Amino acid sequence: MTKKVKKNLRCVLLGHSMDKNIRGFWMNNSDRLKEIKQRLHVFNEAEEYARLVEGNIPKAQHYISIIGITLDFNSITIIDELITIRRVSNAPGLVHLFGVADLGHPDYFSIGRYSSNITAELVAGFFELDNRDKLNCDFLLDIAWHILALLKLRGHSTVFSPGYTSTSWDLVCIQPKNSLIFRSLDDLPRQLRIQPITVVTLEDMEWIKEYWNNALELRDRTSSGRFGLAYNVMYTWNHTDNYRVALANIWCGIESLFGRQSDRRVTDALCQRISEWLPQFSKSTIRDLYNQRCNAVHGRKLENNEIVKAIQESEEILRLSLIKCIETRERTLPDW
């Protein structure tokens, strides 16, 4: 397409007059012009929506994207003046994302793979309040990750966060050209999904509001490494596409909670402690799951459906063990 044609295309789309010599070209290509207008309509709609909701979105330091869940509410504050979770209805596609990205920070390439699927965001650090100074970035990101891990504890295993930026993901499309720095968080070309995308409810959020601080205290590395490792594993166990690796990851978390160096009959003692902590699981059931873990880790022949079943049941043990720790503010064992 020549420069002159491009110029006249812009005139047509903006409703301006065009060169007489090329008017006939557009009259003979009306179907093509109609198609172009229809394609651009999608972008115009996104920008119009963003301008409509812009005044209703709180201003903050960071907007942490969330994929893999949907919300059955619009927004809820989790930690006053610090963290809110809200639904995203206008996630940016590649055209808008690349158009506003600061090209000197290339993380936008990885985030662009996921951006159109963003369904929610954590709004972190409300610097508007009382004109206070901005909070430490690492602190805000750690709190945000803490909340995302609690969502996984509530059974939303497909949740992950591609990245964050300094404006709401609903408003990315109306930002000035090359103005936003995007930073990657969970860059997951592969994620093992053994359940469909789930819906986060107000009940989930009320639980998180009540217990987030308990979990934060239990993660304190100065007093214990067991809970912190298991909590981290709960978030990352399915950051792979290999069933065997996923099962091994889960048992890494379980053994960090219940393993003891002084045990002589290691497996028997491990299964006994788990069954005492979670009486709804019998010792024999736990032993069978541990055997499947060994089969997977040592490369023995297993059908995928056998491993998936072991993953589901083992993940439930890890999840419920951590939930009991959080709700009771107790650790499973002292550190060695």
Side-chain angles (χ1 to χ4, degrees):
M1 188 180 291
T2 66
K3 289 183 179 180
K4 196 170 186 180
V5 171
K6 289 180 180 178
K7 177 183 175 182
N8 282 280
L9 171 60
R10 189 171 185 275
C11 289
V12 171
L13 296 176
L14 296 176
H16 299 162
S17 60
M18 68 177 81
D19 237 344
K20 290 182 180 179
N21 294 333
I22 205 162
R23 189 177 294 133
F25 170 83
W26 292 114
M27 291 177 66
N28 295 330
N29 289 272
S30 58
D31 290 342
R32 177 60 176 160
L33 180 60
K34 183 179 179 181
E35 180 186 344
I36 292 171
K37 286 183 174 180
Q38 286 174 341
R39 291 187 178 185
L40 291 178
H41 182 66
V42 176
F43 301 110
N44 293 333
E45 275 191 333
E47 292 165 15
E48 287 172 8
Y49 177 85
R51 292 187 181 95
L52 183 67
V53 302
E54 186 175 12
N56 300 323
I57 296 175
K59 290 184 170 57
Q61 286 176 236
H62 299 311
Y63 297 79
I64 295 95
S65 60
I66 306 176
I67 286 177
I69 56 169
T70 58
L71 307 183
D72 73 351
F73 53 89
N74 289 323
S75 69
I76 188 170
T77 297
I78 302 169
I79 306 174
D80 288 341
E81 302 184 2
L82 190 63
I83 293 282
T84 289
I85 188 170
R86 63 178 300 277
R87 181 187 295 154
V88 170
S89 304
N90 195 37
L94 283 173
V95 172
H96 278 133
L97 188 86
F98 285 15
V100 303
D102 181 334
L103 304 183
H105 297 82
D107 283 10
Y108 67 90
F109 280 111
S110 61
I111 293 173
R113 292 184 296 181
Y114 315 105
S115 62
S116 62
N117 294 313
I118 293 169
T119 54
E121 64 187 5
L122 290 174
V123 184
F126 295 86
F127 59 79
E128 282 189 322
L129 299 172
D130 301 323
N131 296 315
R132 70 187 184 189
D133 294 332
K134 290 187 177 183
L135 297 171
N136 178 271
C137 177
D138 289 341
F139 165 75
L140 287 177
L141 294 178
D142 187 60
I143 290 292
W145 178 85
H146 184 74
I147 299 301
L148 291 172
L150 288 171
L151 278 173
K152 276 208 166 184
L153 274 178
R154 290 292 293 178
H156 305 288
S157 67
T158 57
V159 68
F160 77 97
S161 174
Y164 68 97
T165 190
S166 56
T167 195
S168 169
W169 294 89
D170 271 328
L171 307 180
V172 165
C173 63
I174 58 171
Q175 301 310 303
K177 182 179 179 181
N178 306 137
S179 64
L180 287 183
I181 296 174
F182 296 95
R183 296 292 191 189
S184 291
L185 292 174
D186 299 334
D187 185 13
L188 300 178
R190 296 176 178 84
Q191 184 194 52
L192 188 63
R193 289 186 173 181
I194 57 173
Q195 68 175 49
I197 290 174
T198 50
V199 178
V200 176
T201 65
L202 285 172
E203 182 182 353
D204 292 323
M205 301 317 302
E206 291 299 329
W207 185 88
I208 289 173
K209 286 175 69 174
E210 183 174 356
Y211 292 111
W212 71 267
N213 196 49
N214 286 11
L216 197 62
E217 290 175 357
L218 289 167
R219 284 180 58 206
D220 182 3
R221 296 186 185 91
T222 62
S223 57
S224 175
R226 290 180 179 275
F227 180 90
L229 175 57
Y231 191 86
N232 190 292
V233 168
M234 187 65 222
Y235 187 76
T236 60
W237 68 265
N238 62 341
H239 291 188
T240 177
D241 64 346
N242 188 297
Y243 290 116
R244 293 172 185 264
V245 171
L247 185 57
N249 288 343
I250 292 170
W251 274 92
C252 171
I254 294 172
E255 291 180 58
S256 75
L257 290 175
F258 298 102
R260 180 175 279 165
Q261 189 178 26
S262 59
D263 290 337
R264 290 296 171 261
R265 301 180 64 187
V266 175
T267 305
D268 189 65
L270 181 71
C271 296
Q272 181 66 37
R273 287 194 198 98
I274 297 170
S275 64
E276 289 173 355
W277 188 256
L278 298 175
Q280 62 268 47
F281 293 92
S282 69
K283 186 176 176 181
S284 61
T285 296
I286 297 164
R287 183 62 186 252
D288 289 342
L289 288 173
Y290 186 83
N291 288 340
Q292 286 291 67
R293 169 258 185 213
C294 293
N295 291 336
V297 167
H298 297 298
R300 293 173 186 147
K301 187 174 180 180
L302 288 169
E303 298 296 331
N304 278 346
N305 63 327
E306 295 179 272
I307 308 178
V308 168
K309 185 173 184 294
I311 288 172
Q312 291 171 324
E313 294 177 4
S314 299
E315 191 259 0
E316 188 75 350
I317 287 173
L318 177 58
R319 190 174 71 84
L320 293 179
S321 296
L322 288 168
I323 285 175
K324 183 174 178 179
C325 290
I326 292 168
E327 291 181 344
T328 61
R329 299 182 74 177
E330 294 181 11
R331 293 189 172 90
T332 50
L333 286 174
D335 272 23
W336 40 44

